[in-house]
């Protein structure tokens, strides 16, 4: 058998098996193209939102020569157009909506509701920047934080995605937060409720689950997990409170784990690093684990 024949047979065999998978899983039962969400376009839209939230930081325009009113209006028009298209595609792809004038009007209303939230998102994220500056002695300026801090980027993406999540838009919020997760190592589910002046220090390895509630002026460090006690029941737990509540002015140090929907960390509490918590903690409490015994020997 010639090499070309072997190659052709291998390709034909793999093609048949893939086609069988497509049919058995229903992968191509929905129209492809207009109805399929475009991850790259969603990420591009996120970048455009970042540009309008932080004017002069991430676009090519020079804010010294651009009138902010004109800049904001033109940028928002681009965001509206892109987001309308992606929301329309996701709703069609999910299959619970049909084309028509009423459907397009619904998509328009959803998109406009998000546009209306842009000033609120900006106000919140600027408060988060302020919290970073006040809480991190290594930060030299707000500009440095906006340009370079992974925590602020992850929080920015979360705040955008959370508004879309609240509008019950499928796919898009999670695509956004998982993109930020990949860039920063910080995993914030768009369903979490996070108050203002939120401070993430360092950030790598942080996990914040979907039903987590976080109050105002909360500070968390790298490796912190705010998770569920068990996910063995899978979809049966969907919609239930599975993740902890962190009240105002709480600090959670590196690699601490707080689990459970009934677990509440009371106001003004401090959770030390490497602790494992599955029960509520009263207000004004310090929680720590016993230090491991250290053995120090001189080198020979």
């Amino acid at each position: 058998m010639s090499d070309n024949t072997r190659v052709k047979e291998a390709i034909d065999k793999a093609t048949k098996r893939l086609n069988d998978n497509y049919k058995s899983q229903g992968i191509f039962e929905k129209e492809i193209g207009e109805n399929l969400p475009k991850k790259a376009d969603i990420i591009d839209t996120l970048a455009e939102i970042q540009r309008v939230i932080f004017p002069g930081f991430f676009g090519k325009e020079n804010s010294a020569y651009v009138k902010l009113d004109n800049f904001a209006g033109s940028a928002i028009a681009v965001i509206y157009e892109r987001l309308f298209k992606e929301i329309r595609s996701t709703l069609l792809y999910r299959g619970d909506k049909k084309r028509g004038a009423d459907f397009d009007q619904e998509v328009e209303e959803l998109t406009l509701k998000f546009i209306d939230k842009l000033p609120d998102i900006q106000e919140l994220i600027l408060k988060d920047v302020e919290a970073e500056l006040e809480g991190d002695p290594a930060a030299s300026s707000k500009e440095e934080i906006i340009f370079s801090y992974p925590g602020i980027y992850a929080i920015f993406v979360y705040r955008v995605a959370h508004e879309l999540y609240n509008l019950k838009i499928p796919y898009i919020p999670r695509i956004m937060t998982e993109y930020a997760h990949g860039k920063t190592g910080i995993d914030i589910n768009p369903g979490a409720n996070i108050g203002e002046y939120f401070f993430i220090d360092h950030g790598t390895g942080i996990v914040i689950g979907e039903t987590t509630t976080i109050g105002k002026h909360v500070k968390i460090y790298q490796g912190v997990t705010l998770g569920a006690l068990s996910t063995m029941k899978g979809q049966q737990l969907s919609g239930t409170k599975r993740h902890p509540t962190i009240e105002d002015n709480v600090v959670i140090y590196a690699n601490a784990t707080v689990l459970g929907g009934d677990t509440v960390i009371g106001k003004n509490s401090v959770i030390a690093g490497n602790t494992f918590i599955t029960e509520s903690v009263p207000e004004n409490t310090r929680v720590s684990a016993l230090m491991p015994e250290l053995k120090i020997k001189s080198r020979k």
Side-chain angles (χ1 to χ4, degrees):
M1 184 182 297
S2 70
D3 288 343
N4 287 343
T5 302
R6 289 180 60 198
V7 170
K8 183 178 184 304
E9 287 183 354
I11 291 174
D12 289 344
K13 182 179 178 181
T15 299
K16 182 182 182 307
R17 292 186 62 192
L18 285 170
N19 285 332
D20 290 343
N21 289 340
Y22 295 156
K23 292 175 183 177
S24 66
Q25 298 298 321
I27 294 174
F28 279 169
E29 288 182 1
K30 302 175 186 293
E31 285 186 36
I32 298 300
E34 181 185 6
N35 291 8
L36 191 64
K38 302 294 191 300
K39 182 176 179 180
D41 291 348
I42 291 168
I43 292 169
D44 287 344
T45 303
L46 186 60
E48 194 69 22
I49 296 170
Q50 185 185 32
R51 191 169 76 93
V52 79
I53 294 295
F54 300 112
F57 280 83
F58 299 104
K60 295 180 180 179
E61 68 282 340
N62 186 332
S63 59
Y65 302 105
V66 176
K67 291 184 178 179
L68 289 182
D69 290 344
N70 295 338
F71 163 75
S74 61
I76 290 172
V78 172
I79 293 167
Y80 171 84
E81 182 178 353
R82 291 181 175 180
L83 197 57
F84 177 93
K85 177 182 176 183
E86 293 309 316
I87 290 175
R88 188 176 190 277
S89 294
T90 57
L91 293 178
L92 286 172
Y93 184 73
R94 193 169 62 177
D96 57 353
K97 302 292 181 181
K98 296 182 179 179
R99 287 184 177 85
D102 290 343
F103 169 64
D104 283 347
Q105 185 175 354
E106 180 181 348
V107 175
E108 181 180 288
E109 287 298 319
L110 288 169
T111 310
L112 289 175
K113 284 180 180 178
F114 175 80
I115 294 298
D116 188 57
K117 286 290 186 179
L118 281 173
D120 297 326
I121 293 170
Q122 185 184 51
E123 289 174 6
L124 279 171
I125 194 64
L126 291 177
K127 289 178 179 178
D128 299 326
V129 171
E130 185 177 333
E132 295 268 356
L133 183 62
E134 291 180 355
D136 185 0
S140 63
S141 66
K142 291 182 179 179
E143 290 78 11
E144 179 184 41
I145 292 167
I146 293 169
F147 273 129
S148 59
Y149 273 40
I152 277 297
Y153 183 75
I155 297 169
F156 153 72
V157 174
Y158 153 77
R159 296 214 182 274
V160 171
H162 182 67
E163 294 299 338
L164 294 166
Y165 178 95
N166 286 341
L167 292 170
K168 296 181 170 56
I169 305 298
Y171 310 128
I172 296 176
R174 197 61 184 268
I175 288 171
M176 288 179 169
T177 54
E178 290 301 336
Y179 176 71
H181 182 194
K183 282 178 66 73
T184 66
I186 299 167
D187 182 1
I188 308 177
N189 189 288
N193 286 287
I194 300 177
E196 57 190 26
Y197 296 101
F198 183 46
F199 178 16
I200 288 177
D201 204 351
H202 304 295
T204 305
I206 285 174
V207 177
I208 300 175
E210 180 186 27
T211 61
T212 303
T213 299
I214 297 176
K216 301 176 182 178
H217 297 279
V218 170
K219 180 177 182 178
I220 63 177
Y221 285 77
Q222 69 273 14
V224 168
T225 296
L226 306 179
L229 272 171
S230 173
T231 57
M232 295 293 288
K233 294 182 180 180
Q235 286 296 312
Q236 296 179 45
L237 296 173
S238 179
T240 63
K241 172 71 169 161
R242 309 182 302 280
H243 305 93
T245 295
I246 312 298
E247 295 186 342
D248 298 348
N249 302 305
V250 168
V251 179
I252 306 178
Y253 283 101
N255 300 314
T257 298
V258 185
L259 304 179
D262 295 327
T263 303
V264 178
I265 306 300
K267 295 178 181 178
N268 308 310
S269 292
V270 176
I271 309 301
N274 299 303
T275 50
F276 189 89
I277 298 173
T278 59
E279 297 179 358
S280 293
V281 171
E283 297 180 8
N284 303 301
T285 300
R286 290 181 178 271
V287 179
S288 60
L290 292 174
M291 292 290 291
E293 182 180 354
L294 300 179
K295 294 183 178 181
I296 302 175
K297 297 182 179 181
S298 61
R299 296 181 64 186
K300 295 182 179 179

